[in-house]
Amino acid sequence: MTGPRYFNGQVLLVTVDRGAVVVDEPAWCIGHSWQPNPHRDDITHYATRSKVDVTTERAGLTAVLAARISWAPFTELVPLVSVELDVEGDYQAEEVGPLAAGLRAAAERLEQLASDAIRLRGSS
């Protein structure tokens, strides 16, 4: 089996169930080297991951958000926003301010990704 091959705005992937499959490659896709020899229905386009981290004295660096646009063209009609939110812990009162600021930044980032995904519907 071989890795992805890119040409003229398309990517050729060798799948385990359908053999060679050619799909249009959106400009925002980071590529498919992470996805060697998938099943056809598992082929997924991913955009760059958007992250928000917060640093607190007790917890150190804390991931608040990881999100990106994704689209599996054989199983999804339009691009989606993949979201991972992760905030759990006990914080000193002084640490809640930076944490809240991080959550506001995460909300803004999610709203932007949602707008981008809606805009991309026309080009998917």
Side-chain angles (χ1 to χ4, degrees):
M1 304 252 175
T2 62
R5 293 196 321 218
Y6 302 92
F7 56 95
N8 299 327
Q10 296 182 313
V11 60
L12 180 142
L13 294 162
V14 178
T15 64
V16 296
D17 59 339
R18 303 281 180 100
V21 174
V22 176
V23 295
D24 290 337
E25 180 80 333
W28 50 267
C29 182
I30 61 170
H32 296 271
S33 60
W34 61 273
Q35 195 174 32
N37 310 113
H39 286 84
R40 187 195 76 147
D41 287 352
D42 293 334
I43 294 172
T44 305
H45 300 296
Y46 281 130
T48 303
R49 185 182 307 257
S50 183
K51 297 165 71 173
V52 174
D53 298 322
V54 174
T55 302
T56 62
E57 189 172 320
R58 277 181 88 175
L61 186 65
T62 302
V64 174
L65 169 74
R68 63 181 165 196
I69 294 174
S70 69
W71 181 38
F74 294 105
T75 59
E76 299 165 349
L77 295 177
V78 295
L80 304 175
V81 179
S82 298
V83 179
E84 298 172 33
L85 291 171
D86 187 21
V87 179
E88 184 178 342
D90 298 314
Y91 297 91
Q92 295 179 16
E94 295 82 8
E95 296 177 309
V96 173
L99 182 60
L103 291 170
R104 283 190 295 276
E108 290 174 6
R109 200 77 54 86
L110 285 174
E111 289 170 344
Q112 182 60 54
L113 284 170
S115 294
D116 291 346
I118 290 168
R119 180 181 49 79
L120 291 170
R121 286 179 184 172
S123 63
S124 60

